[in-house]
Every structure is written in structure tokens, then in C-alpha cells.
Amino acid sequence: MTVMRDKVVKALVELNVRGDENGLMPGYNVLVNFLPTAFWNLFAERLILAAKPEDKKEVRDGLYRCAQECGYHTGYGIINSDEFNAVVMPMVTEGAKDILRGAFAVFTAWGWAKSGVVQIREGEKMVIRAQDYYEQDTHLKGEKMAFMVMAGSGAFFDLAYGAPYPKGLGTFIGEEIKGIELGDEFGEFIVNRT
Amino acid sequence: MSIPFDITFDENTFRHHVHGVAMVMHCHHYMSRTTKLAESMEKINGVKILRETAEDAMRELLEAYFTAQKVNTTGDRLNVGRELYSVMGLGKMEVFGNDHGGEVTLQRSHVDEGWVQIFGNSTNFVNHFTCGYLAAMFASAFGKPPRSFNVYETASMAMGAPEGKIIVKAI
């Protein structure tokens, strides 16, 4: 057996998504929130739109870094969580590859992207394909907007094949090769060593 | 009070919706870093962008929820808005107010507590998201257009206070 994404997703979406008596949602070793996708998308769009042409790279790098650091630290929390141990670990038979597949299943269950690993060269390269992701709902013509998928993918690969946590951040970089928001049929993301 | 909060899961796209509004799970790492990014983008008014984005995105959800659940009076809307804030994992608040504005006490806060976990105590107010949320909540409760309320913090858990205090004033 290997990690079966849809089975993991179905098991995880049945977990209660609701703040506790303190209005907080501790889970996966982090504090979870559950917000409209429009919040994250509009923020990225408006920040990019507000930037002068010469400042746009700085803004895009900042958005990438937010998603990368989130993916790295949250990803670490996820793969060491009780939820991951209960649902994903029983399916893990192929070591780091399966941990990665499991991490992407959680990525999918959280609503980030209906995504999966299509190719892994261990410690070198990974290709991710997403049939749907919330960042595709952005409306900036010609802008690659899937910061969470590209940076999150790179960060997950950092966790799998970089130096032990927390020293491996930024070992790999994720790039968006195809994007639904760009007019492509699906999103495709490649992770390579920086 | 425990409000209903039904999440639908689309088996085709794997997306979550609440009364037709697409939703996503994130965590304090993303919220804190997004807040920090907004603060670093002073030259393009990043904090203003963050607050207004929170106001606009949360207004859409609040309106969808109030319509679907038939929450119509101003008092009920403030109360349910407060509950929704907790249901979404954002913290726990007490709200007093009318159409001139109000005062909000934050007893727990995803934004503030998340910030402290990552960066330690802050030297400035960081809960811009909640300021935007409250602007939306008050405007929705009193049937006002966006940007009808000026919202600002006067005490912050991120800065070491035991509770957060936020003032809402009609413009």
C-alpha cells in the first residue's frame, strides 16, 4: 500500500473544523483558521496591483516567502501531528516519498489545491499537478498567482530532502510552469534545488 | 450560544464552502507572515490593504451567512458575527456597540497569539485582520457601506497586554 490521497482527504475532512471554547482551532501542531479564499487572493492581488513596476518583484518575493515559510513550518507540524499519524502513517510504505504524498493529501484536505505528486527524483526534483486550487480564482492577467502551491511544494521537498528541520528551509524552490489562472487546463509545479 | 456552521465539501474540486462562499484552512504561520509582509510594505500602504481586504472578504461571508440563517436585527448580527469569529478559529471577543461604534475586548486571539508564538512580543499593534473583520461586522449589522467605520487597537496581547482592546468609530 502507498498513500491514497482521496482516502486521506475524505478521512481528514470529516474531522471537526470549528473553534473550541476559546475560539481557537488547535490542530496539526498549529493554530488553524478557516477563512474565505477571497481574503488570501484579494490580499495578494491588491498588493501586486499597488506596487510600482520596479517594486513588483519585491512584493512577489514577499508573497512567495510567506507561503514558503508557512509551508515549511506548517508542513513540519502536519507530518508530526496526531492527525497525520492516525490517518496517513498507516499507509506509508515508501518512506520519504509517501510522507510527501501524505503531506500533499493534507494540502488537498485543507482546501489549498486538489493536487498530487506526479514525479519524484528523490532529493533532486519533483513535479506536482493540480486540477483545482483556490489561487486560480485570482484575476491578474498574465500573473502566476499560485504562491501557496509553488512555495508550499518547495517547502515540503525541503522537509523531505533538505537538512533536518529547521535548517533545511530554502534548499529547494518551487516554480509554476502551468496555471489555470493563466489559461492552462491544470496547474503544474516543478521543484528543483536552488 | 452555538451557531450552526455547515461546511459543504465539493467531491469534484475538493473545495470547502459555507453558504456558497469558498473557504480554506490555513494556520497562524501564514496569518502572522502575511501580517508581517503587510507591515513591511509601508510604501504601498500594506497594512491598509490588509485591513480593507479583511473587511471586504469577511463582509461577503457575513452577508451570506446572515441571509442564509435569517439573522436580521443589528443586535443579532453583532452577536452572530462575534460567534462566527470564534467558529473560524480567530479567537474570543466581547462586543458592545451601536451605529456610532463600539468597543471590543479580545480575550483570545489567533492573530496575536500566533504572532507571539513565532516572533515573540511585538512593539506595535498587529491585529489588522481583526480591525478589518470588525469594520465588516459593524457595517453589515447597521446596513452601512464599506469603510463606514474606523477601527483601531488600544491594547494588544501581541504587545504583552492580558487582553486586546479595539475601538470602533463610525466615520
Side-chain angles (χ1 to χ4, degrees):
Chain A
M1 185 155 86
T2 184
V3 173
M4 290 173 285
R5 182 193 67 186
D6 292 9
K7 196 172 170 185
V8 172
V9 171
K10 283 192 171 65
L12 290 176
V13 295
E14 284 169 9
L15 297 177
N16 196 20
V17 179
R18 193 176 175 116
D20 61 14
E21 68 279 7
N22 293 312
L24 300 174
M25 218 185 291
Y28 302 90
N29 292 324
V30 295
L31 284 177
V32 178
N33 62 56
F34 188 59
L35 294 175
T37 58
F39 168 65
W40 303 107
N41 283 339
L42 273 176
F43 177 71
E45 283 181 317
R46 288 176 178 179
L47 218 56
I48 290 171
L49 275 175
K52 290 178 182 167
E54 63 268 28
D55 294 330
K56 206 163 93 171
K57 184 177 181 308
E58 182 188 349
V59 170
R60 289 188 59 89
D61 286 350
L63 289 165
Y64 182 94
R65 209 163 40 248
C66 279
Q68 179 190 38
E69 291 177 9
C70 163
Y72 188 69
H73 299 293
T74 307
Y76 182 78
I78 286 171
I79 61 179
N80 289 289
S81 68
D82 293 341
E83 294 88 341
F84 196 86
N85 273 326
V87 175
V88 180
M89 287 311 281
M91 298 183 208
V92 170
T93 54
E94 292 183 47
K97 273 186 179 180
D98 264 354
I99 300 282
L100 266 173
R101 291 186 185 113
F104 275 96
V106 178
F107 195 96
T108 300
W110 279 31
W112 293 352
K114 184 179 181 182
S115 58
V117 179
V118 295
Q119 188 195 339
I120 295 180
R121 282 218 303 271
E122 291 200 75
E124 286 181 44
K125 180 187 172 187
M126 174 172 69
V127 180
I128 300 297
R129 198 166 284 177
Q131 291 77 35
D132 190 279
Y133 47 97
Y134 76 86
E135 291 163 312
Q136 77 189 47
D137 298 342
T138 47
H139 303 95
L140 292 185
K141 196 172 169 51
E143 292 278 350
K144 296 177 178 179
M145 295 297 288
F147 294 101
M148 199 65 233
V149 192
M150 56 179 152
S153 299
F156 284 4
F157 216 59
D158 285 341
L159 287 168
Y161 299 108
Y165 182 88
K167 293 186 174 171
L169 179 66
T171 308
F172 296 92
I173 187 165
E175 280 184 83
E176 184 174 354
I177 304 304
K178 290 181 179 176
I180 298 171
E181 75 279 20
L182 302 170
D184 295 314
E185 200 178 330
F186 51 83
E188 192 162 282
F189 307 88
I190 293 188
V191 175
N192 281 301
R193 197 171 280 275
T194 50
Chain B
M1 182 172 142
S2 180
I3 59 170
F5 192 68
D6 296 325
I7 304 164
T8 56
F9 180 68
D10 187 316
E11 298 273 351
N12 183 41
T13 61
F14 287 12
R15 290 207 200 191
H16 310 268
H17 291 87
V18 172
H19 296 308
V21 177
M23 306 285 288
V24 64
M25 289 165 69
H26 268 292
C27 74
H28 71 285
H29 286 289
Y30 203 35
M31 178 62 90
S32 300
R33 287 172 171 85
T34 296
T35 301
K36 198 160 203 173
L37 175 65
E39 293 196 338
S40 75
M41 293 289 161
E42 203 175 344
K43 61 187 168 189
I44 55 171
N45 288 318
V47 168
K48 182 168 181 275
I49 289 173
L50 177 58
R51 285 169 173 243
E52 291 184 354
T53 300
E55 181 180 356
D56 295 339
M58 299 318 298
R59 179 78 183 259
E60 185 193 359
L61 176 67
L62 288 166
E63 297 287 353
Y65 189 91
F66 293 155
T67 301
Q69 297 290 336
K70 299 185 173 50
V71 182
N72 296 320
T73 69
T74 55
D76 284 349
R77 285 189 168 205
L78 287 181
N79 201 32
V80 171
R82 176 184 64 80
E83 289 272 345
L84 265 177
Y85 184 82
S86 293
V87 166
M88 292 184 287
L90 297 167
K92 190 175 180 181
M93 59 164 74
E94 281 184 2
V95 181
F96 301 97
N98 54 36
D99 61 346
H100 297 296
E103 190 173 302
V104 176
T105 304
L106 276 185
Q107 295 155 335
R108 301 298 301 265
S109 165
H110 173 89
V111 175
D112 290 296
E113 293 177 47
W115 179 284
V116 172
Q117 278 187 30
I118 297 169
F119 304 121
N121 276 3
S122 173
T123 53
N124 55 287
F125 297 116
V126 298
N127 207 335
H128 315 303
F129 175 88
T130 299
C131 290
Y133 184 93
L134 291 170
M137 191 172 104
F138 271 72
S140 180
F142 295 104
K144 306 269 190 189
R147 320 290 180 257
S148 289
F149 290 91
N150 183 24
V151 185
Y152 55 91
E153 292 179 86
T154 58
S156 160
M157 279 186 270
M159 296 169 71
E163 291 185 328
K165 188 82 75 186
I166 303 179
I167 304 297
V168 181
K169 278 193 175 167
I171 296 170

